[in-house]
Every structure is written in C-alpha cells, then in structure tokens.
C-alpha cells in the first residue's frame, strides 16, 4: 500500500491525471520519486497514440500536428515544469547575485524574460515537431520517461539550494540510494526501448537513440554546472527547467539524426 501511496503522490504532484488522495507523510514519500517516470510513460503513450492518429487517420497539416504534440505534455502536467523553466529564465536574465536569483525563483510573477523564453520554447518545439516523421514517434515517446528519470536523479543527488521548499521536502522524505538506483534502472530501460524501436531501421536508425541519449546527458551536465555555479544547488524550478530543456534537446537531436539516416 505504501508503494501505491507513493505512486499517487507522484502522479498528483507532477500531473493533472486523477489520483487517489493520500497523506503526504514520511512513509508515503520515501519512494514517491521512483514513480516520477510513470508520468513520462503516460505522456509518451499519449504522444504516440495521438500522433499516429493525426498522421494516419486525418488530413491535418504538419503545423497542426506539431502544435498538438507540443501541447499534449502541457495538458498532462498542467505546465508545472514550464513554470520552473520560466522562473529560471527570469533568474538567469537578471544577472544578479546568487541570492537575487533565488529570490526571483520564489517570485510568483512572470517577468518579460520569462514570457520571451516561453515564446522561444514553444516556437522551437512546434518547429522541431513539424519535421518529425511517423516512424520516429516511438523514439519521441521515450523522451518523457528519460527526462523525468534524470530529473529525479538530480533531486536525490544534487545539493538543495534552499533549506525549505517542495524539492527539499522530497529530498528529506526519500530513501535516496534506493530511489537513485530505481531511477537509474528507469533511465537504462528507457534507452534500451529507444534502441529496440530503432533497431529495424538499421545503423542509420540506431544512431538516433545514441545521439538523443548523448543530448540528454549533455543537458544534464549543463544543469549540474548551472545549479552549482549560479544557484549553489538545485530547486524545484531548476529541475523543471532541466526537464523542459532536456526534452526539447532530445527531440531536436532525434529529428535531425532521423532525417539524416
């Protein structure tokens, strides 16, 4: 029952998917982060199914397809990670010291740079999705569990920038070593699924999972350096920033590599 409660906490926190109401106590939160990638699996399956229907059963154009694929994750998550992305863009654009940047992350108001950053993000996402082929949809679906696996690993591994906040709550309640091990297994399994989905397309197809994985790891290194140098640790907003940039980076790397095969 504790694992079911942990699953419910993860789904209710990181998505708009209906989940049973459970108590957020220390026992139930021990393994909640282990189920963070489940939200990614659901998102990926929706992207796969909706994308396949749009490209095979309708006469919609590429731009409409790309817009829908961009919006599906936002609808599933309620934009919780985009909020972190926007706050991080505001903080980085301030050019202030560490304390100033952390204060901006806490501010509930969106600044001009946040709005600009979101416009750039959505434009880039629609542009990249418009170049995706139907054969690449299984690969694209794997982006979402992997980004959440890496984000979860950072939560239980990186130093927290603040002594309070939602991320610190998850850190303090988690069995860090076990959760980290489970998330590593999630990440490895996801990469294997990507490789299997591209195997039938030969060496050219197999290059895409490798490049996408490399892109995810490069973004993860960028995220680590950003947290350490700019903020003195990670926060929930920074984790959301990483997730969004990781997903867009993997998608762009996959589309470019897939179209070159």
């Amino acid at each position: 029952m504790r694992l079911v409660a942990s699953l419910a906490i993860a789904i209710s926190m990181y998505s708009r998917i209906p989940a049973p109401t459970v108590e957020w106590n220390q026992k139930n939160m021990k393994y909640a982060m282990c189920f963070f990638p489940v939200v990614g699996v659901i998102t990926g399956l929706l992207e796969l199914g909706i994308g396949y229907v749009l490209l095979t059963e309708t006469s919609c154009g590429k731009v409409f397809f790309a817009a829908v694929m961009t919006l599906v994750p936002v609808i599933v998550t309620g934009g919780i990670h985009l909020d972190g992305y926007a706050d991080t863009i505001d903080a980085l654009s301030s050019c202030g010291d560490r304390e100033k940047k952390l204060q901006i992350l806490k501010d509930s108001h969106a600044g001009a740079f946040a709005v600009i950053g979101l416009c750039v993000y959505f434009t880039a996402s629609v542009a990249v999705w418009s170049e995706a082929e139907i054969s690449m949809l299984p690969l694209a679906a794997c982006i979402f569990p992997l980004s959440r696996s890496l984000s979860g690993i950072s939560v239980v591994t990186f130093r927290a920038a603040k002594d309070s906040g939602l991320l610190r709550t998850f850190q303090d309640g988690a069995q860090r070593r076990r959760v980290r091990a489970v998330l590593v297994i999630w990440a490895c399994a996801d990469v294997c699924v990507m490789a299997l989905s591209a195997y039938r397309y030969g060496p050219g197809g197999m290059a895409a999972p490798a490049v996408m994985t490399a892109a995810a790891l490069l973004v993860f290194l960028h995220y680590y350096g950003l947290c350490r140098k700019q903020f003195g640790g990670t926060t929930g907003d920074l984790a959301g920033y990483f997730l969004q940039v990781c997903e867009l980076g993997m998608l762009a790397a996959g589309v470019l590599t897939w179209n070159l095969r």
Side-chain angles (χ1 to χ4, degrees):
M1 290 299 294
R2 289 181 186 175
L3 292 181
V4 174
S6 296
L7 172 61
I9 289 174
I11 291 177
S12 62
M13 177 63 210
Y14 294 110
S15 77
R16 295 299 185 189
I17 302 168
T21 301
V22 298
E23 185 180 354
W24 284 45
N25 56 38
Q26 187 174 6
K27 291 181 179 179
N28 290 339
M29 293 186 67
K30 280 184 180 180
Y31 302 107
M33 195 56 62
C34 293
F35 296 99
F36 187 21
V38 172
V39 179
V41 172
I42 296 171
T43 305
L45 290 175
L46 287 172
E47 292 275 62
L48 178 61
I50 293 173
Y52 183 82
V53 169
L54 288 176
L55 293 178
T56 61
E57 304 298 327
T58 73
S59 58
C60 71
K62 279 284 191 176
V63 174
F64 181 83
F65 160 79
V68 171
M69 299 300 276
T70 296
L71 292 176
V72 167
V74 182
I75 295 171
V76 172
T77 64
I80 183 173
H81 308 299
L82 279 170
D83 176 69
Y85 168 83
D87 288 344
T88 302
I89 294 297
D90 256 348
L92 292 174
S93 300
S94 71
C95 298
D97 58 20
R98 181 177 296 176
E99 291 303 318
K100 176 65 174 178
K101 290 173 182 173
L102 289 174
Q103 287 178 5
I104 292 174
L105 289 182
K106 292 170 59 178
D107 192 347
S108 60
H109 298 89
F113 289 105
V115 176
I116 294 170
L118 288 172
C119 290
V120 170
Y121 186 91
F122 283 123
T123 301
S125 181
V126 170
V128 175
W129 270 116
S130 68
E131 298 296 325
E133 300 179 7
I134 189 171
S135 56
M136 194 203 156
L137 289 179
L139 271 179
C142 295
I143 289 173
F144 304 97
L146 183 56
S147 65
R148 284 159 177 78
S149 299
L150 294 175
S151 182
I153 289 171
S154 75
V155 168
V156 296
T157 304
F158 294 0
R159 174 189 173 189
K162 301 180 293 183
D163 293 330
S164 60
L166 191 58
L167 181 136
R168 188 56 184 262
T169 301
F170 274 93
Q171 282 187 335
D172 292 342
Q175 289 281 352
R176 295 199 186 193
R177 290 186 178 180
R178 294 179 183 177
V179 171
R180 188 185 301 116
V182 171
L183 290 171
V184 169
I185 292 172
W186 266 109
C188 292
D190 191 79
V191 172
C192 289
V193 172
M194 282 199 295
L196 289 173
S197 67
Y199 178 76
R200 62 184 175 134
Y201 295 99
M206 289 298 291
V211 174
M212 291 169 70
T213 303
L217 294 177
L218 286 174
V219 175
F220 189 79
L221 289 175
H222 157 71
Y223 167 48
Y224 172 72
L226 183 73
C227 292
R228 186 170 60 87
K229 294 178 182 179
Q230 300 281 353
F231 297 92
T234 190
T235 68
D237 286 325
L238 292 173
Y241 166 84
F242 161 74
L243 189 143
Q244 296 295 158
V245 175
C246 181
E247 290 179 355
L248 184 58
M250 287 182 67
L251 180 63
V255 167
L256 290 172
T257 308
W258 197 256
N259 289 339
L260 290 174
R261 64 187 173 86

